Structures are given as structure tokens and as C-alpha cells.
Amino acid sequence: METTLEHLVSMPRIGDEAPEFKAITTQGIINFPNDYNGKWVILFSHPADFTPVCTSEFITFAALEDKFKKTNCSLVGLSIDGLYSHIAWLRTIREKISFNGMRNIDVKFPLIEDITMEVAKKYGMIQPGESKTQAVRAVFFVDPKGIIRAIIYYPLSLGRNFDEIYRALIAMQTSDKFSVATPADWNPGDDVIISPAGSCGIAEERMTTDSDLKCEDWFFCTKKLSKDLVLKEVLKN
Ligand code: BEZ
């Protein structure tokens, strides 16, 4: 097995095909990303089973699983622990732990056993400056064609913001469906950004012709996109 530092920190990038792997999980064997063809999938890592921040995250993610499913998105977790540790931890979560008013939470999405770190290394989830033995909190958004579309990394001590993870997913699906971009802090119902003018003529037209666009300047034009339309398109995925 390769153990160079370079190998530990190599990571796929936005726009790359998601690296393939076959893994044992709490829901059986998965072949990634092939088993998820035609679906979005969020592949996320956490440092270790039976740790408090991770437990709060798993309860939160599991409680939101149906919301993600409605947007055609599956969840897959990973840590550098074995299958039996995963099973014991998920049983403990269901039987004993409550967080933010959520209790008796059944984690139904697959949790990968990665004791060999094979998957964690492929996805750059080991960041040696933070830990050489535990995965950081990585989030990979993989689209229905198996392409990595966004990546978020958090350190060990910082629990993720799941509203942001959901917002990013909806924003990327909205960009795909409506060929628009989304500005800072965008949420469904907010104005969206149309592609920049590609010629002097279009730039001029945008600044002088009445239309449903709102242009701050020739390069910064927005238009309305109703929340109903966004949700109708995204939820029918
Ligand atoms: C936690 O999940 O609580 C945790 C895990 C590793 C390091 C620090 C915190």
C-alpha cells in the first residue's frame, strides 16, 4: 500500500469523475458511483464512531434524509471504523441519544466501513495536518452523471451546517434546470443571475432595452425565478 504524504492528500476536484470504489456498508455492498447513476449523491466523511460531534451530525442528517430523497439525492457516510463499530454506534444513536429535540433516529443510509482508508485516501478525506488516522468532515456532491460538483471541508471540531448542504444542492439543481447562476446567500424564491453578456451588442441591449431583467450593470443582470417553480422542478427530479 502506498503511504507517501502525497498519496494521503491527493483529492478529486470539482468537475472530475467521482473515483470508483466498492465498499462494505451498513446497508450491504455498494459500487460507487455506479449504483447511484441518475441520482445526486452526497458522500460525506466523519472522523470516528462514538464521538459527540459526529453523533449530532448523524442524527441531523438521518432526520433530513427524506427531505434530501425528495430532491433525488441519496446520502452515503464514511469513517475509518469497522462495520461492527458502525452497527453498534447506529444502534446506540437510535436507542439512547437525543439531539436538538430529535430522538429514536434510525440511520437508514449506508455508512461505509473504511478501516483500510482506501476510500478516504481516494477522496482526500485524510488531511494529515489535522489527523493522520481520522477523516476530516468532507462533503462531496456527486451529480446524476457521476461528476463531482461541489466539495466542502470542515475540521474535526466543527459540526456541519445541514441547511447549507441542502441549499447548495438545490442551488446546483436550479442552475442545471434553468441555466442560471445563484448569487451570495441565494435561496429558492430569490432572484437568479443570468449568464454574462457575451458580446458588446448584448451588453448594450441589456442596458438599454426594457425586459424582465434587472441589470446593475451590463455584466450583472438578475431575473425573478419563483420559489414555486424552483421547488416544482427540483422536487420532481
Ligand atoms: C467528535 O465527533 O466529537 C470529534 C471527533 C474527532 C475529533 C474531535 C471531535
Side-chain angles (χ1 to χ4, degrees):
M1 194 193 320
E2 202 174 337
T3 52
T4 60
L5 195 62
E6 191 183 336
H7 185 63
L8 283 174
V9 297
S10 73
M11 59 180 286
R13 292 156 299 192
I14 291 174
D16 288 352
E17 286 177 9
E20 292 182 2
F21 62 82
K22 182 177 180 178
I24 294 170
T25 83
T26 49
Q27 301 292 328
I29 288 177
I30 62 168
N31 286 288
F32 195 90
N34 292 351
D35 288 351
Y36 297 89
N37 268 345
K39 287 181 195 297
W40 284 80
V41 49
I42 293 177
L43 172 67
F44 69 100
S45 57
H46 70 276
D49 298 344
F50 292 101
T51 50
V53 178
C54 300
T55 299
S56 71
E57 290 191 319
F58 260 67
I59 290 174
T60 309
F61 230 168
L64 290 171
E65 190 184 5
D66 282 348
K67 193 172 163 181
F68 280 88
K69 267 204 179 133
K70 286 184 182 144
T71 68
N72 190 33
C73 181
S74 301
L75 309 176
V76 179
L78 172 149
S79 75
I80 299 164
D81 290 291
L83 182 64
Y84 300 125
S85 166
H86 283 345
I87 292 171
W89 181 45
L90 299 187
R91 287 176 62 87
T92 304
I93 286 177
R94 191 184 62 215
E95 285 159 18
K96 296 199 181 139
I97 315 282
S98 64
F99 173 69
N100 270 353
M102 295 171 274
R103 59 176 55 80
N104 303 123
I105 297 290
D106 205 4
V107 176
K108 296 187 193 124
F109 56 81
L111 174 50
I112 295 169
E113 88 156 357
D114 195 28
I115 209 85
T116 60
M117 303 191 193
E118 189 187 326
V119 181
K121 284 178 187 170
K122 270 192 179 171
Y123 276 82
M125 291 164 171
I126 310 288
Q127 311 243 328
E130 180 76 340
S131 170
K132 290 188 177 60
T133 55
Q134 295 182 316
V136 294
R137 300 181 197 280
V139 186
F140 286 85
F141 297 77
V142 180
D143 77 9
K145 292 182 178 148
I147 302 298
I148 293 174
R149 297 288 299 275
I151 305 170
I152 309 177
Y153 275 83
Y154 285 70
L156 302 186
S157 61
L158 175 58
R160 285 163 274 216
N161 182 318
F162 291 89
D163 288 339
E164 170 57 8
I165 291 172
Y166 185 73
R167 187 194 78 89
L169 177 71
I170 300 292
M172 287 184 280
Q173 294 188 354
T174 299
S175 288
D176 289 356
K177 294 264 178 198
F178 298 95
S179 302
V180 294
T182 50
D185 291 335
W186 180 87
N187 267 298
D190 295 344
D191 292 353
V192 291
I193 292 179
I194 63 158
S195 54
S199 70
C200 292
I202 293 176
E204 182 63 17
E205 195 180 304
R206 285 194 181 169
M207 294 308 290
T208 53
T209 311
D210 269 352
S211 73
D212 60 353
L213 300 184
K214 184 176 156 229
C215 292
E216 297 298 322
D217 201 344
W218 65 270
F219 67 94
F220 186 178
C221 296
T222 59
K223 70 174 184 184
K224 298 213 168 303
L225 182 58
S226 79
K227 183 173 180 174
D228 283 353
L229 192 53
V230 168
L231 295 184
K232 194 171 130 219
E233 283 303 315
V234 164
L235 299 182
K236 85 168 186 208
N237 263 310

